[in-house]
């Protein structure tokens, strides 16, 4: 994620500024929970994914608005919206946008979509929400509530809210669909006479007395 240079800086009064510099590009592996159709998930999980959909809609809307004001700074938000679109590729409201992105622009660059995009979407939204939250805290800490007068700041607040909601909701979905890992040491049976073995066990060397 990269928002650098003077183009990505919002000049503010009293020397305050909103700087997106120092965000290095990230390569996110396409790993995630076991594959499968979203339709096969429990009803509660599908309901949570439906809420994720509205976060993705918000990311598209505010990301495109931010792109009109600061194109370079908006790229990471638009990339996150693309990730969310691929995650929700089976949703009837999202499928047309997914088809256009895959067939005309991105091809196989984000894989086949679906649940395989859940972990990358969670990671990306979590990183974005932390970084944008720190930037907003810095700006309001310097200039206070006067920053609400600046449209780029207002839009970034909306983007941050969508990022936080996306991260929290996708984490809940990930916990629900990931298989339960076995307990450490589960099913381990110590040898007789070894540590943790039954008391009075005979040694492996034999040689017992008469």
């Amino acid at each position: 994620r990269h928002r650098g240079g003077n183009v990505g800086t919002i000049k503010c009064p009293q020397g305050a500024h909103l700087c997106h510099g120092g965000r290095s590009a990230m390569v996110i592996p396409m790993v995630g929970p076991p594959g499968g159709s979203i339709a096969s998930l429990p009803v509660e999980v599908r309901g949570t994914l439906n809420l994720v959909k509205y976060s993705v809609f918000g990311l598209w809307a505010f990301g495109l608005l931010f792109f009109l004001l600061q194109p370079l700074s908006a790229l990471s938000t638009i990339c996150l919206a693309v990730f969310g679109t691929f995650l929700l590729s089976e949703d009837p409201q999202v499928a047309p946008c997914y088809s256009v992105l895959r067939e005309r622009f991105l091809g196989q660059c984000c894989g086949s979509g679906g649940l395989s995009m859940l972990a990358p979407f969670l990671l990306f939204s979590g990183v974005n929400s932390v970084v944008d939250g720190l930037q907003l805290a810095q700006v309001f800490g310097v200039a206070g509530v006067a920053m609400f007068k600046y449209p780029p700041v207002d839009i970034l607040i909306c983007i941050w809210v969508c990022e936080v909601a996306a991260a929290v909701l996708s984490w809940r979905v990930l916990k629900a669909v990931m298989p339960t890992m076995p307990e450490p040491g589960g099913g381990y049976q110590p040898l007789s006479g070894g540590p943790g073995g039954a008391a009075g066990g005979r040694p492996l060397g034999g040689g017992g007395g008469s």
Side-chain angles (χ1 to χ4, degrees), residues 42-135:
V43 176
E44 304 82 22
V45 179
R46 280 182 283 157
T48 305
L49 270 177
N50 192 58
L51 297 177
V52 174
K53 175 176 65 177
Y54 295 105
S55 297
V56 174
F57 288 167
L59 290 170
W60 275 117
F62 297 117
L64 292 175
L65 284 175
F66 204 43
F67 184 82
L68 297 177
L69 300 174
Q70 298 191 16
L72 294 180
S73 299
L75 290 179
S76 59
T77 302
I78 293 176
C79 287
L80 180 58
V82 170
F83 274 45
T85 302
F86 273 70
L87 169 64
L88 301 167
S89 58
E90 300 178 37
D91 187 278
Q93 293 179 296
V94 181
C97 180
Y98 164 75
S99 299
V100 171
L101 289 175
R102 184 175 182 183
E103 295 173 6
R104 299 187 181 181
F105 298 100
L106 301 177
Q108 295 291 332
C109 119
C110 290
S112 58
L115 290 179
S116 63
M117 293 296 299
L118 181 57
F121 180 75
L122 169 61
L123 177 62
F124 205 177
S125 59
V127 171
N128 280 13
S129 61
V130 170
V131 175
D132 287 339
L134 291 175
Q135 296 293 338

Side-chain angles (χ1 to χ4, degrees), residues 98-198:
Y98 164 75
S99 299
V100 171
L101 289 175
R102 184 175 182 183
E103 295 173 6
R104 299 187 181 181
F105 298 100
L106 301 177
Q108 295 291 332
C109 119
C110 290
S112 58
L115 290 179
S116 63
M117 293 296 299
L118 181 57
F121 180 75
L122 169 61
L123 177 62
F124 205 177
S125 59
V127 171
N128 280 13
S129 61
V130 170
V131 175
D132 287 339
L134 291 175
Q135 296 293 338
L136 289 170
Q138 178 187 8
V139 167
F140 283 103
V142 173
V145 295
M147 294 305 303
F148 283 110
K149 298 186 298 183
Y150 294 86
V153 176
D154 297 332
I155 294 174
L156 188 58
I157 292 173
C158 296
I159 290 174
W160 177 74
V161 171
C162 293
E163 290 168 346
V164 172
V168 172
L169 294 172
S170 57
W171 169 244
R172 291 175 57 185
V173 174
L174 185 65
K175 288 196 302 181
V177 301
M178 286 295 286
T180 303
M181 301 299 294
E183 293 292 333
Y188 170 73
Q189 298 180 355
L191 293 173
S192 174

